[in-house]
């Protein structure tokens, strides 16, 4: 027979599993990434609603396009410029936020020919009510006074594992972005090598033909035979 203190824990865990998803959330952290094509001479802007005392981390990379560079702007809800990168290929920025919509823009107006392929990732921290989530967790568990392991320790361990998993996903996403950019650079170099190799081959053929013609002309008898 299950002892009474453990019975409360079992019932509490079952209640947690059957509870709505909101009650099972821990430290809220949102992570999303996007890849888009920015045409030449264009500027694209995006908006992200944020809460007070939250954290906005944004990382971007130019994956393809001549020069691998772009202008980047990050503006606060009041219209103040928080970050400005000029002709950069990548960047990482973190800001503590307030209530309102943050705007970030990628500017390719300086380029008249080349379009750019841009990857960016958003990581939003502290977007939920951690204290309320912990209270929702605690109210399902009773009879834990005799347990050696505290519920706070379990919650801290779960949050630590969740944070490390999120960091691993973020690093893998960035590595894929780096791999895509390196592959585009290698393909561009491959095309250039092939083009200039064909040009060099054509020049060699023309020079060889001219040399053969000049040598033949040196040995031709140009004296007119008398009849």
């Amino acid at each position: 027979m299950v002892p009474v203190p453990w019975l409360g824990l079992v019932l509490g865990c079952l209640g947690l599993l059957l509870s709505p998803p909101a009650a099972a959330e821990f430290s809220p952290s949102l992570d999303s990434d996007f890849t888009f094509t920015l045409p030449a001479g264009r500027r694209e802007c995006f908006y992200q609603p944020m809460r007070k005392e939250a954290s906005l981390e944004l990382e971007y990379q130019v994956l393809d396009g001549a020069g691998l560079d772009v202008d980047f702007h990050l503006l606060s809800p009041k219209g103040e410029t928080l970050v400005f990168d000029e002709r950069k290929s990548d960047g990482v920025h973190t800001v503590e936020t307030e209530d309102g919509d943050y705007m970030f823009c990628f500017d390719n107006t300086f380029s008249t020919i080349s379009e750019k392929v841009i990857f960016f990732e958003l990581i939003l921290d502290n977007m939920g009510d951690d204290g309320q989530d912990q209270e929702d967790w605690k109210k399902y568990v009773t009879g834990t006074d005799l347990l050696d392991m505290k519920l706070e320790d379990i919650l801290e361990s779960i949050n630590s594992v969740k944070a490390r998993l999120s960091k691993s996903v973020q690093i893998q996403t960035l590595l894929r972005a780096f791999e895509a950019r390196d592959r585009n650079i290698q393909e561009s170099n491959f095309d250039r090598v092939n083009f200039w190799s064909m040009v060099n081959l054509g020049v060699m053929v023309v020079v060889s033909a001219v040399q053969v013609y000049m040598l033949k002309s040196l040995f031709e008898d140009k004296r007119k035979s008398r009849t």
Side-chain angles (χ1 to χ4, degrees):
M1 179 178 296
V2 180
V4 174
W6 289 98
L7 181 59
L9 179 60
V10 172
L11 294 178
C13 292
L14 290 176
L16 179 62
L17 293 175
L18 298 176
S19 62
E25 293 179 356
F26 304 106
S27 296
S29 178
L30 305 178
D31 186 358
S32 57
D33 56 88
F34 304 90
T35 302
F36 70 100
T37 300
L38 181 60
R42 290 283 300 277
R43 171 187 170 113
E44 294 288 346
C45 294
F46 303 86
Y47 294 85
Q48 176 59 51
M50 296 298 299
R51 298 181 54 179
K52 187 177 181 180
E53 297 181 353
S55 174
L56 168 63
E57 180 178 347
L58 191 149
E59 177 163 354
Y60 69 91
Q61 295 181 36
V62 182
L63 301 182
D64 195 14
L68 294 177
D69 54 358
V70 72
D71 290 345
F72 174 77
H73 305 260
L74 177 60
L75 289 85
S76 70
K78 299 178 181 179
E80 301 173 348
T81 300
L82 302 178
V83 177
F84 173 62
D85 291 341
E86 185 177 7
R87 307 289 293 270
K88 292 287 189 67
S89 62
D90 56 71
V92 182
H93 303 287
T94 304
V95 295
E96 300 299 323
T97 62
E98 57 187 19
D99 289 328
D101 295 336
Y102 283 75
M103 181 176 72
F104 54 97
C105 301
F106 299 94
D107 193 344
N108 194 32
T109 55
F110 59 84
S111 178
T112 57
I113 300 176
S114 176
E115 64 180 16
K116 306 294 172 61
V117 178
I118 299 175
F119 162 85
F120 68 90
E121 182 179 20
L122 290 175
I123 301 176
L124 314 179
D125 289 325
N126 300 325
M127 292 295 289
D129 192 350
D130 294 348
Q132 183 62 38
D133 290 336
Q134 293 183 7
E135 293 300 324
D136 290 340
W137 171 285
K138 293 178 181 178
K139 70 181 182 181
Y140 289 104
V141 182
T142 58
T144 59
D145 296 337
L146 301 178
L147 297 179
D148 294 333
M149 181 178 295
K150 295 182 179 180
L151 187 60
E152 288 79 3
D153 296 335
I154 300 176
L155 184 61
E156 182 179 355
S157 300
I158 294 176
N159 280 330
S160 177
V161 173
K162 181 174 180 286
R164 294 181 182 182
L165 289 176
S166 299
K167 191 64 177 178
S168 299
V169 172
Q170 178 188 0
I171 293 175
Q172 291 176 357
T173 302
L174 295 180
L175 289 177
R176 287 197 299 269
F178 279 120
E179 189 272 336
R181 184 172 67 177
D182 293 342
R183 183 175 65 250
N184 291 331
I185 294 175
Q186 292 176 359
E187 291 177 354
S188 177
N189 292 337
F190 178 74
D191 294 337
R192 291 181 182 179
V193 169
N194 285 340
F195 172 77
W196 289 110
S197 297
M198 295 301 297
V199 171
N200 189 29
L201 180 60
V203 171
M204 291 178 60
V205 171
V206 172
V207 170
S208 300
V210 172
Q211 289 179 344
V212 171
Y213 174 78
M214 295 297 296
L215 288 175
K216 289 179 64 176
S217 64
L218 291 177
F219 292 98
E220 287 182 353
D221 188 3
K222 298 183 179 180
R223 292 176 299 176
K224 297 182 178 179
S225 58
R226 296 182 180 178
T227 55

